[in-house]
Amino acid sequence: MQNIEPLEIGKYYHIYNRGINGEKLFKEPLNYEHFLNLYDYHIAPIAETFAWCLMNNHFHFLVRIKEIEEITSEKKIPASKSFSNLFNAYTKAINKRYNRHGSLFERPFRRKTIDNNSYFQNVIVYIHNNPVHHTICNHPIEYPWSSYITCLSDKSTKLKRKEVIELFDDIENFKYVHQHRSEGFSLQTFLGE
C-alpha cells in the first residue's frame, strides 16, 4: 500500500487520478462541463488552479492549497475532503445518468508535491501536452479540455494565468516551451514511477 501524503496548506500539488479499471470518466461534452462546474464549487474555495487537463479516463490538476485565511468556503474542511466531495458528487451524477453503480475513480487520488519552479514549469507543460502524449491531437491548442487555451486567452478566468505566463517569462516563450518540450515527456518522469 502506497503512503499517501496529506494535502498541506500553502503547498503546490500535481493532483491526478483515473477511472477505476480504466473506465471512462467522461463520455460526452456535458460530462466534462459538469465535472468542471463541480470542481469550481468544491475546489476553487480551497485551492488556486494553475493548470488542468481532463482526458476521457483520467485527469490532471496543478494546484496550490490556500492558507486558512484565504479559504472562501464557510466550512473550513481539509483539502483532501474537498477533493473527495468533488469525486463523490461527480460519481453520483454519472451513476445516475448512465444507470451504473459503485466507484468511478481509483482510490486514493494521487498527488505529488511541487517544490521548485523548474518542476512546476515542467508539470504545467506535461499537463497541457497530455493529449499530445496520448496521440489525441498534435498540439495542445487543438484540445478543448485543458487550461492551455485559457492561458492564451484574455477572457476572465479563475485560473492563475498571469502567474503561469510569468513563470515562462512571456506568452511567446510559454508557447515555444510547450511546442518544443512535448517530445521526450513521459508519464513516468512526472509521476516518479
Side-chain angles (χ1 to χ4, degrees):
M1 181 78 181
Q2 98 185 61
N3 186 16
I4 299 300
E5 93 182 69
L7 297 176
E8 297 179 33
I9 59 172
K11 289 195 174 181
Y12 294 82
Y13 294 94
H14 177 195
I15 298 199
Y16 52 101
N17 204 354
R18 60 184 172 196
I20 197 162
N21 299 321
E23 185 168 339
K24 283 188 177 181
L25 300 173
F26 311 105
K27 301 174 190 292
E28 57 184 303
L30 187 64
N31 300 152
Y32 293 92
E33 292 165 8
H34 187 61
F35 186 87
L36 290 172
N37 287 334
L38 289 172
Y39 180 90
D40 189 47
Y41 178 79
H42 290 283
I43 306 305
I46 59 97
E48 296 174 323
T49 304
F50 294 84
W52 60 270
C53 185
L54 305 181
M55 303 292 286
N56 70 357
N57 68 349
H58 68 283
F59 64 80
H60 297 270
F61 288 98
L62 178 52
V63 301
R64 182 186 74 89
I65 306 302
K66 293 178 180 179
E67 301 287 347
I68 295 294
E69 59 274 6
E70 296 176 280
I71 295 177
T72 57
S73 174
E74 295 189 18
K75 289 190 212 173
K76 309 278 190 197
I77 62 173
S80 58
K81 180 68 174 158
S82 294
F83 278 97
S84 292
N85 289 345
L86 162 65
F87 304 144
N88 289 335
Y90 185 71
T91 297
K92 286 178 184 175
I94 291 299
N95 284 353
K96 183 176 181 182
R97 181 166 179 84
Y98 298 104
N99 196 28
R100 70 177 301 278
H101 63 278
S103 297
L104 180 62
F105 296 95
E106 287 190 352
R107 290 184 186 173
F109 65 91
R110 309 277 302 269
R111 75 284 315 255
K112 291 280 185 183
T113 305
I114 308 299
D115 56 7
N116 65 65
N117 279 348
S118 177
Y119 188 32
F120 191 83
Q121 186 184 59
N122 285 334
V123 172
I124 290 170
V125 175
Y126 174 75
I127 288 172
H128 289 155
N129 273 298
N130 209 257
V132 176
H133 172 77
H134 289 281
T135 65
I136 292 169
C137 59
N138 293 318
H139 190 279
I141 201 163
E142 299 168 3
Y143 191 72
W145 302 111
S146 88
S147 56
Y148 182 83
I149 294 170
T150 305
C151 286
L152 302 180
S153 171
D154 58 1
K155 293 180 182 175
S156 178
T157 180
K158 290 182 182 178
L159 184 77
K160 303 305 278 182
R161 172 177 54 218
K162 180 178 178 251
E163 291 84 347
V164 169
I165 298 304
E166 286 174 356
L167 185 65
F168 292 86
D169 296 327
D170 59 39
I171 196 81
E172 292 309 314
N173 195 48
F174 172 85
K175 291 192 251 184
Y176 176 84
V177 171
H178 277 75
Q179 178 66 38
H180 290 87
R181 284 206 193 157
S182 62
E183 295 178 15
F185 271 33
S186 75
L187 188 59
Q188 291 72 28
T189 301
F190 293 97
L191 304 185
E193 297 174 345

